[in-house]
Amino acid sequence: MKYDVIIGLEVHAQLQTKTKIFCGCATDFTPDAPNIRTCPVCLGLPGALPVLNRRAFEMAVKAALGLRCQIAHFTKWDRKQYFYPDLPKGYQISQYDLPFSHSGLMEIPADPEVAGAEGLTRKVRIIRAHLEDDAGKNIHDESGRGSESQVDLNRAGTPLVEIVTEPDLRSPKEARMLLEEIRLLLLYFGVSDCNMQEGNLRCDANINLHLHHDSGITTKTPIVEIKNLNSFRFLEQACEYEVSRQLKTYGHLEEIADRTKRTFGYDPQRGVTIEQRSKEEAADYRYFPDPDLVPVIVTADQIQLWQADLPERPQDRRQRYQTELGLSPYDAGVIIEQGRAFADFFEQIVAHGAEPKQASNWITQEIQRILNERKCSIGEFPVSAELVGTILKKVSDKQLTLKAAREALDALVSYSEENTVSQETLEKVIQERGLAIVQNDELLLNIIQQVIQKNPKPVADYLGGKQAAAGSLLGQVMREARGADPQLVKSLVTQALDALKSGNS
């Protein structure tokens, strides 16, 4: 029996504002000091009136434009009614029928196992992105000893942008890739830190199967919403488990009587999804317009200004690295996934004369090695992109070997611990350490002759037919002629030995 996996995501990202969406309480993460970031507004006390955080709205619009959404000129706020200990108002301020954005599009690589070939693209339609306030956090005793639960309302009222996709994903792997791409977009646009450990990026997955029976009948299994997945791995694992569970439960049925949508949770310890309740529909939430908040009207000129201020999308940047800089999809992907500052540093290296491929190798290997050793970010790297570009330009111009270039970079990093490094520092390092490639062929030939005269045994071995014996001579010449081009030295040593061989024959 064949089947299709149908998955759509609802992604919640906390916006990186300093204060909450409808009050002036700070949004910093304070897990060890519960309930210190609260006020009458986010506690829902009678008479408290919310006021929209303009910055939160602008950030949300920026995210939506990154998702290629249409921005509504008129949007309003609605109350979504439900009762839970971490929601002191008794309702969430959200957007129901008039969200601020709709009809976007994301593209990710299609999973070859379901698409049938490598290199295909999966287009995922974005239904809408809307703004809402977050609830607080319930902290339960998970020891099983029956201790009391606690409520922390520091998070209550923090601004969330919720991104809802059509069910266009066809495998758990594609679900993970889409969430990764959305995270990258939000990070590049600077609208969320997407810290999943702190709950600042999480998603719900709606999943079901279309079962194609041998009889020709297609059966659709009930949709399951897996809630609050806070890691890429858990998202993929939860969807994989749910596919297997639905196949086992419904695979033999050509008719399914109970098609009630249900909400499940995911237990990563056991690797299983667990039913929590039947899924609520919009009517269950009894939405109605929030009377305390005025609608927001956005002009075409304002949208144009926001559009003009957008940074390049990581997806577009990845593609540009391939088409304009000639990087492989792998190299381009590795750089882009390290973040915007990392990609900016790479482009600055190239702008200062480095070959793109060589710059790619260096930033992902040499510079990444140093970052790992020093446990710092690219923003803290002590050598400027301009100097790194200059070093690599010298390699391209055959003024430095790669080995000498690495030594120069390491030396600059060491110097930086006590002094500021500059172009003059680089030239000083190259001169003091004799790193420049020896361009004088006559000098090289003299060194080669001296080495040959001092080493009769390997010379005799080479003349006797052991070509590998030239290796020890080559190493000695390289040590004597520090900074020489290895390929040139190899060629000259071979020529000198072959000349001896011809003279002896």
Side-chain angles (χ1 to χ4, degrees), residues 173-383:
K173 183 179 179 181
E174 288 186 0
R176 175 180 57 77
M177 288 192 290
L178 178 64
L179 185 60
E180 288 175 341
E181 195 65 32
I182 289 175
R183 173 183 173 274
L184 208 53
L185 177 78
L186 299 178
L187 286 173
Y188 267 68
F189 278 39
V191 298
S192 174
D193 65 10
C194 295
N195 188 324
M196 301 180 89
Q197 285 72 36
E198 295 179 4
N200 298 346
L201 180 71
R202 54 194 191 267
C203 86
D204 308 330
N206 291 284
I207 178 170
N208 74 321
L209 306 179
H210 290 182
L211 307 172
H212 306 297
H213 297 279
D214 296 338
S215 61
I217 294 175
T218 295
T219 307
K220 298 179 181 179
T221 64
I223 296 172
V224 162
E225 181 181 29
I226 311 172
K227 298 286 286 184
N228 289 324
L229 297 161
N230 63 353
S231 89
F232 303 115
R233 184 162 52 94
F234 292 167
L235 168 61
E236 188 168 5
Q237 288 176 348
C239 289
E240 285 173 348
Y241 178 82
E242 191 55 29
V243 169
S244 64
R245 188 194 70 81
Q246 292 191 22
L247 272 177
K248 186 177 179 182
T249 306
Y250 303 109
H252 60 289
L253 300 176
E254 292 191 352
E255 287 187 17
I256 300 174
D258 183 4
R259 298 187 49 74
T260 306
K261 296 179 182 177
R262 299 187 184 282
T263 297
F264 277 53
Y266 178 62
D267 182 345
Q269 300 295 326
R270 294 191 290 154
V272 299
T273 57
I274 303 164
E275 183 172 350
Q276 296 177 331
R277 60 183 185 272
S278 61
K279 184 173 168 56
E280 295 88 350
E281 300 295 340
D284 299 321
Y285 290 117
R286 295 169 291 118
Y287 282 98
F288 69 86
D290 193 310
D292 292 336
L293 285 163
V294 295
V296 177
I297 297 173
V298 180
T299 66
D301 289 345
Q302 184 61 61
I303 295 173
Q304 205 169 14
L305 282 175
W306 283 326
Q307 189 87 49
D309 194 40
L310 291 181
E312 187 178 18
R313 295 177 182 85
Q315 188 175 40
D316 298 338
R317 204 165 183 174
R318 191 186 293 117
Q319 186 62 36
R320 179 167 60 81
Y321 286 1
Q322 296 173 52
T323 56
E324 294 183 10
L325 302 182
L327 298 188
S328 68
Y330 174 80
D331 288 338
V334 168
I335 293 170
I336 292 297
E337 285 160 18
Q338 292 297 317
R340 185 175 169 185
F342 198 85
D344 288 345
F345 198 92
F346 162 73
E347 292 197 26
Q348 290 168 27
I349 295 175
V350 174
H352 286 92
E355 295 285 340
K357 174 58 181 171
Q358 198 159 60
S360 165
N361 291 341
W362 263 54
I363 195 168
T364 57
Q365 295 173 25
E366 301 302 327
I367 293 177
Q368 189 66 61
R369 169 181 60 82
I370 295 170
L371 292 176
N372 292 339
E373 289 171 355
R374 298 171 71 90
K375 294 182 172 57
C376 65
S377 68
I378 193 69
E380 301 166 303
F381 192 66
V383 180

Side-chain angles (χ1 to χ4, degrees), residues 322-505:
Q322 296 173 52
T323 56
E324 294 183 10
L325 302 182
L327 298 188
S328 68
Y330 174 80
D331 288 338
V334 168
I335 293 170
I336 292 297
E337 285 160 18
Q338 292 297 317
R340 185 175 169 185
F342 198 85
D344 288 345
F345 198 92
F346 162 73
E347 292 197 26
Q348 290 168 27
I349 295 175
V350 174
H352 286 92
E355 295 285 340
K357 174 58 181 171
Q358 198 159 60
S360 165
N361 291 341
W362 263 54
I363 195 168
T364 57
Q365 295 173 25
E366 301 302 327
I367 293 177
Q368 189 66 61
R369 169 181 60 82
I370 295 170
L371 292 176
N372 292 339
E373 289 171 355
R374 298 171 71 90
K375 294 182 172 57
C376 65
S377 68
I378 193 69
E380 301 166 303
F381 192 66
V383 180
S384 69
E386 178 182 358
L387 274 182
V388 176
T390 303
I391 292 172
L392 293 181
K393 180 74 166 49
K394 287 180 180 293
V395 173
S396 302
D397 293 343
K398 299 193 180 303
Q399 296 175 28
L400 288 177
T401 63
L402 270 175
K403 182 181 177 185
R406 290 190 193 99
E407 186 173 338
L409 179 64
D410 286 341
L412 289 179
V413 171
S414 297
Y415 275 120
S416 71
E417 293 178 357
E418 296 182 357
N419 302 291
T420 302
V421 293
S422 63
Q423 187 72 37
E424 289 72 27
T425 317
L426 172 61
E427 298 302 334
K428 183 180 174 185
V429 165
I430 292 172
Q431 186 177 5
E432 287 182 348
R433 298 185 177 224
L435 298 178
I437 287 179
V438 176
Q439 304 285 2
N440 189 331
D441 286 2
E442 185 177 349
L443 175 61
L444 271 179
L445 289 171
N446 285 336
I447 294 173
I448 290 169
Q449 288 305 322
Q450 290 173 19
V451 169
I452 286 176
Q453 289 171 11
K454 291 178 183 174
N455 295 275
K457 176 73 170 55
V459 171
D461 288 344
Y462 183 88
L463 298 179
K466 296 180 180 178
Q467 294 193 347
S472 67
L473 301 173
L474 182 64
Q476 291 187 54
V477 174
M478 288 299 297
R479 282 194 292 276
E480 293 288 333
R482 190 178 173 83
D485 180 354
Q487 294 302 320
L488 177 62
V489 170
K490 183 179 180 182
S491 173
L492 292 176
V493 167
T494 304
Q495 287 176 26
L497 290 173
D498 288 346
L500 282 175
K501 200 171 187 179
S502 299
N504 291 340
S505 62

Side-chain angles (χ1 to χ4, degrees), residues 23-37:
C23 66
C25 293
T27 56
D28 53 330
F29 186 60
T30 53
D32 298 326
N35 298 311
I36 63 168
R37 303 293 189 231

Side-chain angles (χ1 to χ4, degrees), residues 156-176:
T158 54
L160 294 180
V161 61
E162 179 173 347
I163 300 161
V164 184
T165 80
E166 293 280 6
D168 291 336
L169 299 160
R170 290 296 172 266
S171 75
K173 183 179 179 181
E174 288 186 0
R176 175 180 57 77

